[in-house]
Amino acid sequence: MDGDGTRDARGTQADPVPRPAAPREGSALPPMPPVPPGAPPRPDGSAFLAWLRAPRPQAAPGVWRFGHRPRPEQEPELIPARQLLSGALIAFLVGWLVWSLLWNGYLGGWWVLPLELFTPDSWREGNDRVGNAVLWYSYYTLIAAAIALAVGRIGRWGEVWRRYGPPAWRPAAPVAERPPAPEEDAAEWPQLRQAGAHEAAERLAAEARAGLMRDVDHARIGRAWQAVRSGRHSIAAFTAAVLRDGSAACPHPSGARDLPVRNARHDLLTGQVRLGTTADDPRNPYQYRGAGLALDPELLGTSLLAVGPAGSGKTGTVIRPLAESLCLHALAGRAAVVVVGAAGAGLGPAESYDVVVRVGHPESVHDLDLYGGTTDPDEAAAILAEALVGDLVDPHPGSDSRRSTTVLAQLLGPFHAVHGRFPSVPELRGLLDGAPGPLAALRRALTDTGQEPLLRELDARERQMAHPGDVGTVLADRIALLDRPAFAAFFDTSGRTRPFSLRALDHPVRVRIDLPPRGHADASRILARLVLAQFTAGVTVREDRSLFACLLLDDAAGVVTPEAVRGIQRLRSAGAGAVLTLRTLDDVARPLRGPLLGATGCRMALSGLTPWDGQDFAEVWGKEWTETRDVTDRQIIAETPAGKAVHMLRRVITGQAPTARAVTVRQVERERWSASELAHAVPPGHAVLSLTSVQGEHAPPLLVDLRG
């Protein structure tokens, strides 16, 4: 057994997954996962076992679960220090006064009645002075303890002790965790033992104790075991693979067992990557304050939109950690990831990816399939039309994507029928320009091959070209942006190059697509729309939707179209998600801003946002009921001469007129985050992030420190 079922090619797959050659035998042992906080590195497997056995309690969406200590859902009432100390002192004085009155007999002898009722007279009036003294002083101690207990509760002495006593002087000691039972210890692989695979469990447990297993190995073998449980592979094949290769069993097609470098904190046991720390701010729910903020496929499955100006940290603190995390998930057989960004954006080294497409770079090993790997002319026409003219949302004749799809289908269908492939960029440009030579040659080829019924498509295309405002002119102008010397070696359809198709997302593949460098901004936007259109079209027809597929698109300016928004809405049910970043919402057409924010379940507003962008976020986040206090000071008017004298003396001492304070408590509805707060109250390096999981769990907008 060499895979878990998510890596193996299926009969419906058009193109195989590119698999870089990487020898399995003799390869260096991958680096260890991050050591748990406070634990020194050790040469044996104790560091890995400590990480594996660390507590990960269930928590609210977005909370970093590794070592998390849950907090109450409601914030406890915090008494001001002055009020707390003064109340404790007054309670002590009251208790002292009560004890003095009892001791000196000013309150009568009723307080000794319980002693007289429950003890014989001989105990109190006998000649044994020592016994009488013990009895009476024991009773005095009991009464004093009762008084101290009563005034201690009234004066909150326990709170004073916890806040200012010795418990507050020393740091909190870590709670000793109970060693897990064998049937609960993840390092012993109890799920394998319960199913009868004892030999495989023993081999994996021994390698974990010996320090030969890493977090990616544990996650990858766990994924392979899921394939066994689902029936895609037999338990005998799984056991044989584990006994043969140990923790290196069920490898990724690349043979890699880890990334060459990690820059973020990952926990593959929960699938999370830590992005920062939730700020200790009153606007955050109490259970989130001070907790780590993390994302996982359960949250990315609803898609994420991050908006912030240049330099706010979209690439370094959002895209890069997520790309790193999803690449680790891909090595574990859990995910397929496509990362799209400008050349030199720092989206991770090439060694972290299986396929690197560098459009416009002469040394690029892989090419990009312009038609998404499909052989259906109508599907290819729809994808290409979305890339070329999908951003034209004004009432221009060329903005109708359905007309553009029809025009492209009229040319792609006959061409594919004759040549068995789709046209290259220069060939398609010649057909769209309406030059007589290419159209006449295509007509003769159709006649020679007996494809006369398709001549009607060419006849319709030639009739439309004669009308003013033909959409073919717009398509020809857009495809001309890709018909440049810099792209001459790309988008080849003759089979001479190695084109990558997003149809390969049936496999745990890691892909990075570098868009053309400066000077080709329009071409970069066309290619970004092309990748997004191919992604949304490809992931919805996958057979295995348990393999999470994610597209990370750094700088989606000019990419969001009506069809793209509809495609993002379909990703959630297809086991996929998209992460888009924008400098400003002005990069999206006004009619699409609301639908885009509604289609994404996770929304992030970074520091430096403009007020008009903040207004869109404030509207989508809505309002909440909150308690407000209105304090009114009313001047007190004295009626008697003595009262006037007292008021005059108080004014001389305090400098203020005597007032009576009235407090009104109301429930009002206010915005969770207003546009002004988003524009001016978010500190540098912070962001406001709301989350939604694929199960429908919500996290309100949280102020997050992305530097923590």
Side-chain angles (χ1 to χ4, degrees):
M1 175 179 174
D2 297 327
D4 64 357
T6 63
R7 309 169 178 77
D8 304 330
R10 298 179 175 83
T12 59
Q13 181 61 44
D15 299 317
V17 182
R19 302 189 177 191
R24 288 173 50 192
E25 289 79 15
S27 60
L29 194 65
M32 295 183 65
V35 179
R42 283 157 287 197
D44 57 3
S46 56
F48 172 75
L49 294 178
W51 168 82
L52 191 60
R53 293 165 177 169
R56 294 171 175 85
Q58 292 296 326
V63 172
W64 174 253
R65 291 173 52 192
F66 180 81
H68 173 63
R69 297 185 181 277
R71 304 178 72 177
E73 294 185 3
Q74 299 294 332
E75 181 179 7
E77 182 181 1
L78 185 63
I79 304 170
R82 181 177 178 181
Q83 178 181 348
L84 180 65
L85 295 176
S86 62
L89 178 60
I90 293 173
F92 172 77
L93 295 176
V94 170
W96 183 265
L97 177 61
V98 172
W99 172 253
S100 299
L101 294 176
L102 290 175
W103 182 262
N104 294 304
Y106 293 110
L107 297 180
W110 57 269
W111 61 284
V112 299
L113 289 178
L115 184 64
E116 296 177 352
L117 292 175
F118 294 101
T119 59
D121 295 341
S122 59
W123 288 15
R124 302 187 307 273
E125 300 174 358
N127 296 327
D128 187 0
R129 295 183 177 182
V130 176
N132 291 340
V134 171
L135 176 65
W136 284 102
Y137 280 104
S138 298
Y139 185 67
Y140 295 155
T141 303
L142 180 62
I143 296 299
I147 295 175
L149 180 62
V151 299
R153 290 183 62 87
I154 296 174
R156 298 186 176 92
W157 290 359
E159 179 67 20
V160 174
W161 176 262
R162 288 188 295 271
R163 195 182 300 186
Y164 302 105
W169 300 348
R170 57 180 181 270
V175 179
E177 297 293 339
R178 176 181 61 87
E183 63 273 8
E184 301 174 355
D185 190 358
E188 297 295 329
W189 297 89
Q191 66 273 30
L192 272 65
R193 298 179 188 276
Q194 293 173 3
H198 296 282
E199 295 180 352
E202 288 293 342
R203 174 68 185 274
L204 295 175
E207 296 220 346
R209 290 190 294 268
L212 301 177
M213 182 178 289
R214 302 295 181 261
D215 55 350
V216 177
D217 299 330
H218 188 277
R220 187 185 66 252
I221 295 174
R223 169 73 177 179
W225 178 249
Q226 292 179 1
V228 173
R229 297 300 301 269
S230 62
R232 291 197 297 269
H233 291 289
S234 66
I235 190 172
F238 173 83
T239 303
V242 171
L243 294 179
R244 181 180 66 250
D245 299 324
S247 57
C250 313
H252 185 264
S254 67
R257 295 172 61 186
D258 208 334
L259 298 180
V261 62
R262 298 191 189 186
N263 296 310
R265 294 188 63 186
H266 305 274
D267 184 20
L268 287 181
L269 206 60
T270 59
Q272 293 182 312
V273 54
R274 180 164 179 159
L275 297 186
T277 304
T278 309
D280 190 4
D281 188 273
R283 287 168 291 197
N284 288 336
Y286 181 69
Q287 68 269 25
Y288 277 98
R289 296 179 195 171
L293 192 283
L295 297 180
D296 55 35
E298 292 293 320
L299 297 172
L300 296 179
T302 62
S303 298
L304 167 66
L305 175 66
V307 182
S312 58
K314 300 185 298 297
T315 302
T317 61
V318 179
I319 295 295
R320 193 177 304 157
L322 291 178
E324 192 174 280
S325 174
L326 290 168
C327 284
L328 289 173
H329 281 287
L331 291 179
R334 296 174 173 176
V337 56
V338 180
V339 184
V340 183
L347 299 176
E351 295 77 14
S352 296
Y353 296 91
D354 304 314
V355 177
V356 178
V357 181
R358 306 170 68 184
V359 181
H361 197 286
E363 297 181 1
S364 178
V365 177
H366 290 90
D367 192 3
L368 183 63
D369 193 332
L370 193 65
Y371 301 98
T374 183
T375 57
D376 184 1
D378 293 330
E379 183 180 356
I383 293 175
L384 191 56
E386 169 67 13
L388 295 177
V389 297
D391 60 324
L392 299 177
V393 295
D394 55 5
H396 191 276
S399 64
D400 192 340
S401 61
R402 287 176 294 181
R403 293 179 57 195
S404 303
T405 302
T406 302
V407 169
L408 289 172
Q410 289 171 343
L411 298 174
L412 297 182
F415 193 96
H416 189 274
V418 171
H419 300 283
R421 61 177 179 86
F422 291 120
S424 63
V425 170
E427 291 171 334
L428 181 59
R429 181 184 181 184
L431 293 173
L432 289 172
D433 280 334
L439 288 176
L442 182 58
R443 182 182 293 275
R444 287 194 303 270
L446 288 174
T447 304
D448 295 341
T449 57
Q451 303 285 343
E452 288 83 359
L454 292 176
L455 291 175
R456 292 179 300 177
E457 301 286 348
L458 293 184
D459 294 337
R461 176 85 285 270
E462 291 177 347
R463 287 194 303 269
Q464 294 169 3
M465 289 168 52
H467 296 287
D470 176 41
V471 70
T473 304
V474 179
L475 291 171
D477 292 341
R478 288 298 180 91
I479 200 66
L481 296 173
L482 301 181
D483 189 16
R484 291 290 184 268
F487 310 134
F490 289 86
F491 318 121
D492 183 73
T493 58
S494 62
R496 295 190 302 268
T497 62
R498 299 176 60 187
F500 172 75
S501 168
L502 269 71
R503 295 269 173 166
L505 296 183
D506 264 342
H507 308 266
V509 64
R510 302 166 294 166
V511 184
R512 193 187 79 190
I513 300 177
D514 293 344
L515 298 177
R518 297 178 181 177
H520 301 282
D522 292 333
S524 295
R525 284 191 286 269
I526 290 176
L527 294 176
R529 287 196 298 271
L530 177 67
V531 173
L532 179 58
Q534 292 184 1
F535 179 82
T536 55
V539 297
T540 55
V541 297
R542 295 182 304 159
E543 294 182 8
D544 184 11
R545 296 189 176 184
S546 65
L547 184 72
F548 180 68
C550 191
L551 171 67
L552 306 181
L553 184 53
D554 192 22
D555 191 5
V559 177
V560 180
T561 67
E563 184 60 33
V565 173
R566 287 189 287 268
I568 292 174
Q569 291 173 337
R570 295 192 295 266
L571 294 180
R572 182 171 177 175
S573 60
V579 178
L580 311 178
T581 67
L582 292 169
R583 290 188 178 92
T584 173
L585 286 175
D586 288 339
D587 292 334
V588 179
R590 167 56 66 180
L592 295 178
R593 296 179 193 174
L596 175 62
L597 289 169
T600 53
C602 303
R603 312 172 188 97
M604 177 183 288
L606 290 94
S607 61
L609 208 68
T610 60
W612 40 92
D613 283 348
Q615 184 62 42
D616 291 320
F617 277 98
E619 290 179 0
V620 74
W621 280 332
K623 300 180 179 181
E624 64 178 348
W625 289 100
T626 183
E627 185 179 274
T628 62
R629 292 174 176 265
D630 296 331
V631 180
T632 305
D633 289 334
R634 178 180 58 84
Q635 184 175 357
I636 301 176
I637 306 299
E639 301 292 343
T640 63
K644 293 180 180 180
V646 171
H647 286 186
M648 184 180 297
L649 179 62
R650 182 175 176 181
R651 179 178 295 178
V652 170
I653 296 174
T654 64
Q656 297 179 353
T659 58
R661 174 168 295 182
V663 180
T664 303
V665 180
R666 297 184 302 166
Q667 292 286 335
V668 298
E669 193 177 20
R670 63 181 296 273
E671 291 178 325
R672 299 178 185 270
W673 278 83
S674 67
S676 178
E677 289 175 330
L678 290 172
H680 306 293
V682 180
H686 289 64
V688 180
L689 171 65
S690 65
L691 301 170
T692 304
S693 70
V694 292
Q695 287 83 17
E697 296 179 286
H698 294 270
L702 306 170
L703 180 62
V704 180
D705 185 359
L706 298 176
R707 302 167 302 182

